[in-house]
Amino acid sequence: MKKILVIHGPNLQLLGQRAPSIYGTADLTAINRDLKAVAAKHKVRLDIVQSNHEGEIVDRIGKAKRTHDALLINPAAYTHTSVAIRDAIEAAGLLAVEVHLSNIYAREPFRHQSLIAPVCKGQVSGFGPTSYRLGLEAVATLLAPVHAAKARPSVRVRHRAA
Ligand code: CA2
């Protein structure tokens, strides 16, 4: 069974308690419940962590290189500041998808840049909790054997030659 690490970045534990006009009313428990249902549908295993600490997030990503097949991450405010998290994702070489509840491009200019996006397969931004669901659907789909095989050029070449 493929294993996906979900990382919720700083302050996301506050979801549902404040700023509902920006982030909606769902709390992290509800989002995680949703993600587990999507994971069950795709027969993938999820490990879910929330951290307010950049170094802890870097450590988790570093360990995931050996223990997980992919990463679904909402880096929260670190999206816009963290070279360390970007480097950790790049070094891990894992399939990674970045998600945001709000549309970061429709907000303050300092949120328009993501340092994380260039080391991710893709980004989902602006759909509230649905961003997480869509992000996990994308990860699970890309990990499925049919897509994983397409991502290995040597397999295609051998097949053509035979
Ligand atoms: O839209 C997103 O998911 C963000 O990653 C959320 C971050 C923000 O810094 C990013 O620019 C976009 C903020 C997460 C903090 O969440 C709160 C929830 C309730 C009350 C206050 C903060």
Side-chain angles (χ1 to χ4, degrees), residues 33-148:
R33 196 184 316 120
D34 243 40
L35 287 176
K36 284 174 194 164
V38 174
K41 189 181 85 181
H42 285 276
K43 298 186 170 46
V44 294
R45 184 181 139 182
L46 286 192
D47 291 310
I48 305 178
V49 295
Q50 188 276 327
S51 176
N52 293 327
H53 305 282
E54 187 176 25
E56 189 186 347
I57 294 172
V58 168
D59 287 346
R60 291 278 189 172
I61 295 168
K63 285 186 191 134
K65 181 188 168 112
R66 295 185 302 280
T67 56
H68 291 77
D69 300 291
L71 182 65
L72 181 72
I73 182 166
N74 182 348
Y78 289 138
T79 304
H80 320 295
T81 63
S82 182
V83 177
I85 292 175
R86 175 198 174 115
D87 287 350
I89 295 173
E90 193 169 30
L94 286 169
L95 167 68
V97 170
E98 176 185 347
V99 298
H100 296 285
L101 294 155
S102 62
N103 178 351
I104 58 173
Y105 304 99
R107 299 185 62 193
E108 305 95 320
F110 71 86
R111 295 187 204 271
H112 295 183
Q113 190 191 21
S114 168
L115 299 188
I116 309 303
V119 293
C120 289
K121 184 78 177 166
Q123 184 197 65
V124 187
S125 173
F127 300 105
T130 302
S131 292
Y132 278 95
R133 219 175 298 143
L134 294 173
L136 183 56
E137 291 276 359
V139 171
T141 303
L142 290 168
L143 286 178
V146 61
H147 290 277

